[in-house]
Amino acid sequence: MPGRRATLAALGGTLLAGRAAAQAFPDRPIRIVAPYAAGGQSDTVIRLLAPKMSEFLGQPLVIENRTGAGGSIGAGVVAQAPPDGYTLLFESFAFLVVPFIVKGLTFSYETAFAPVGQAVALPYVLVVRKDFPASDLAGFVAHARAHPGVSYGTPGIGTPGHLAGALLESRAGIRLEHVPYRGGAESARDLAAGSIDAAIGTANTFGPLVQDGRIRGIALTSAERRGSLSGLPTIAESGFPGFDITSWNGLFAPSGTPAPVLARLEAALAHATGDAETRQRLALTGNEAVTESAAAFAARIRRERPVVRQIVEQTGIRAD
């Protein structure tokens, strides 16, 4: 059966060629798309990781900021790139949110990407203006029940802060007024000035204001106490068990990227997040370096996606 032999031989040759290419990976610079503005959370983290990843891979990493549509423009660039490991996506928790609030996407976040690994975890915190008439979560909820429409700022629609506020509304049976900002710094400024009642954002953003007494920390949105404000209780331990909204950043490749290439990229990321000096620099920006495997990161995404979907459906969150 010459035809079958020829087909098998061709297939074998293709597999060998793919394996050889993977073993040679990388032999040129790697582009990493950060789908948010320069200087923001995702951009800052990947630029701190890049030197050690480049050291491990023996090739430079080129960071490209492609902003817009909640990160979906940059994600779309990577979704349509060849699955060879030379174009990657460095995303945030918004990776889970955008598919449910942005209409007209031309790709599926669920099927277009292969998780390479989680890089950092980023705790969020509920804070209030310094003269707010409550000093703990029970008092905050009681005040919100008595005065519907307590305002809270977040870094924007669909961010972890927005999801945490919406989830707290649902779990506590209260009505809050969401005030979306273009970033955490703007909400922090207005909260310190007393222009809004509360805010939910990163511990890194609000930590200095809490420590200076310009605002008051109430509770962490993560499942356990962590980060620079770990002295605060969690919402989960303050009457709402199971409450957990923790932001993260992670690295993704296009689906179909060869397993050996994914493994090498995973090892490069672990090399960076495991480096003591890099971990210290990340900590200074409010991030906790994570060294979990790609499989663990994929499991986290599978676990968190239905939770995000449920919150969006229950609260009606939509992008502008």
Side-chain angles (χ1 to χ4, degrees), residues 19-301:
R19 189 176 299 126
Q23 290 173 347
F25 176 86
D27 60 7
R28 63 181 187 272
I30 295 173
R31 176 175 63 152
I32 299 184
V33 175
Y36 307 102
Q41 162 69 14
S42 297
D43 179 75
T44 297
V45 172
I46 188 55
R47 291 184 189 278
L48 287 173
L49 295 170
K52 284 297 176 181
M53 290 183 65
S54 178
E55 173 184 273
F56 182 90
L57 293 168
Q59 291 289 341
L61 303 183
V62 180
I63 313 301
E64 179 180 330
N65 299 97
R66 296 290 294 270
T67 65
S72 63
I73 290 178
V77 170
V78 179
Q80 296 167 11
D84 54 12
Y86 288 98
T87 301
L88 308 174
L89 175 68
F90 194 73
E91 249 288 17
S92 68
F93 185 86
F95 181 90
L96 294 173
V97 183
V98 169
F100 302 120
I101 68 172
V102 175
K103 296 181 179 179
L105 293 175
T106 59
F107 62 94
S108 166
Y109 273 83
E110 191 166 354
T111 61
F113 303 101
V116 174
Q118 183 180 347
V120 297
L122 186 64
Y124 270 56
V125 61
L126 168 65
V127 291
V128 296
R129 52 183 167 82
K130 64 181 180 181
D131 59 348
F132 190 82
S135 57
D136 59 17
L137 188 64
F140 178 87
V141 169
H143 181 79
R145 283 178 178 154
H147 303 85
V150 168
S151 59
Y152 76 102
T154 74
I157 293 173
T159 61
H162 188 192
L163 286 180
L167 182 58
L168 181 60
E169 284 185 277
S170 176
R171 293 284 302 272
I174 58 178
R175 182 174 65 80
L176 305 174
E177 179 187 352
H178 179 229
V179 183
Y181 287 83
R182 296 181 64 184
E186 294 180 356
S187 64
R189 177 201 61 210
D190 276 8
L191 183 63
S195 301
I196 53 176
D197 298 314
I200 304 177
T202 66
N204 183 51
T205 296
F206 293 111
L209 296 176
V210 170
Q211 293 160 5
D212 289 346
R214 297 173 62 189
I215 62 175
R216 186 182 304 146
I218 295 294
L220 296 166
T221 67
S222 50
E224 65 281 331
R225 301 188 185 198
R226 62 195 309 171
S228 58
L229 292 177
S230 58
L232 292 176
T234 66
I235 292 176
E237 69 185 76
S238 302
F240 300 93
F243 196 108
D244 180 17
I245 300 290
T246 303
S247 189
W248 47 256
N249 284 104
L251 189 64
F252 297 84
S255 288
T257 301
V261 171
L262 291 175
R264 185 150 174 78
L265 291 169
E266 178 185 356
L269 181 61
H271 176 75
T273 57
D275 176 70
E277 184 177 351
T278 301
R279 292 175 72 90
Q280 184 176 12
R281 290 178 177 175
L282 288 167
L284 290 174
T285 65
N287 291 280
E288 295 182 10
V290 173
T291 55
E292 289 182 341
S293 66
F297 185 38
R300 169 181 288 277
I301 291 171

